[in-house]
Amino acid sequence: MTGHRPAGAPSRVLVVTAVPAERDAVLAALRPADRTGPPALAELPGGGVLHTVPAGPGPRTDVLAAGVGPAAAAAGTAGALTAAALAPGPDGTAEPYGLVICAGIGGGFPGVAPPLRAVVASRIVAADLGAALPGGGFAPVAELGLGTGEHRPPAALDPAVAEAAGAVHAPVLTVSTATGTAGRAAELAARFEGAAAEAMEGFGVAEAAAGHGVPVLEVRTVSNEVGPRDRAAWRIPEALTALTGAFGRIRPVHENWSTW
Ligand SMILES: O=C(O)c1cccc(C(=O)CC[C@H]2O[C@@H](n3cnc4c(=O)[nH]cnc43)[C@H](O)[C@@H]2O)c1
């Protein structure tokens, strides 16, 4: 249902998280206050379960907990995008996604994104995709001529989403190994100047979205500092609550964003 939304606004949105707790934090923001029923569930052909909020005035939004790390994120996202492009909906025609959002908690770089702050990615960067060089340097995959190491959200969308969320708007790094030392944190901060956060799925989600020609966003709330590993200090419940709040604030922006 499009309601009063502008022509060209996405009629279907896919949100991809790593774990079910993050998925449920997003769903909490999407469910109208007067709807207490559970989301509809749909199994994807390659595994994974889409949670769809009951129809409201906005676009149909499906939320998928695809697993931890860029590979699981890419596989889950690609599966959902392919299923939507091929499978007929209730009216017999396929209803492809118009926007993909990677969402979850993440590590914040000290001095840029403190715990519980929201971060909206200006660039989604594969921080460890490339080659280590003798002497300690790093050649990103693009410099090696082997593809791209970053994706950019649509220029007209991510600044507005960041403003709505009161978020830091800066690059978000995707890593396969969460940072656990001060040395690695300093290395990443120096290599990717201005980076606000690191997490483990954004680039995988973005690669799959790019393969389908669908725009992508990444939205994180900070559960911990990027630095020496101290799992006991992670503020996961508060970061999940902050994720629900941030999602509620960005929803009117991304749902009404028009590509026309
Ligand atoms: O244990 C729980 O209850 C729980 C609930 C929600 C999420 C988790 C996670 O462990 C999420 C893992 C997810 O979080 C991202 N993340 C968070 N902090 C960092 C970090 O410092 N470096 C890299 N990634 C981080 C990441 O995307 C993980 O997939 C547990």
Side-chain angles (χ1 to χ4, degrees):
M1 164 171 171
T2 51
H4 299 295
R5 292 180 309 114
S11 64
R12 194 173 177 189
V13 175
L14 174 65
V15 182
V16 182
T17 70
V19 302
E22 295 167 315
R23 176 199 64 207
D24 292 344
V26 171
L27 285 169
L30 295 175
R31 264 152 103 182
D34 57 343
R35 304 292 287 267
T36 51
L41 307 184
E43 257 182 62
L44 290 169
V49 178
L50 281 185
H51 287 230
T52 303
V53 288
R60 171 177 167 182
T61 301
D62 302 318
V63 191
L64 173 69
V68 169
T77 306
L81 291 170
T82 302
L86 297 180
D91 67 353
T93 60
E95 195 186 356
Y97 292 104
L99 178 66
V100 178
I101 304 176
C102 176
I105 62 173
F109 282 93
V112 186
L116 310 189
R117 189 76 193 270
V119 176
V120 172
S122 58
R123 297 188 286 136
I124 299 169
V125 182
D128 50 19
L129 187 61
L133 303 175
F138 173 78
V141 69
E143 270 178 29
L144 299 171
L146 296 174
T148 185
E150 69 173 62
H151 292 282
R152 284 177 187 265
L157 183 58
D158 55 305
V161 165
E163 189 181 349
V168 178
H169 184 220
V172 175
L173 309 184
T174 302
V175 294
S176 291
T177 304
T179 296
T181 65
R184 177 65 175 162
E187 193 181 323
L188 289 173
R191 188 174 297 151
F192 303 102
E193 211 181 318
E198 72 164 35
M200 302 175 76
E201 293 78 28
F203 187 75
V205 171
E207 278 280 283
H212 283 255
V214 180
V216 67
L217 287 176
E218 182 170 8
V219 179
R220 297 276 168 186
T221 49
V222 174
S223 53
N224 57 282
E225 285 192 347
V226 176
R229 182 168 172 78
D230 179 8
R231 189 64 162 72
W234 285 30
R235 298 176 64 184
I236 291 176
E238 300 101 309
L240 292 172
T241 300
L243 184 62
T244 302
F247 226 88
R249 289 191 293 278
I250 72 168
R251 190 179 176 193
V253 179
H254 74 253
E255 290 188 350
N256 289 297
W257 164 68
S258 172
T259 51
W260 291 8

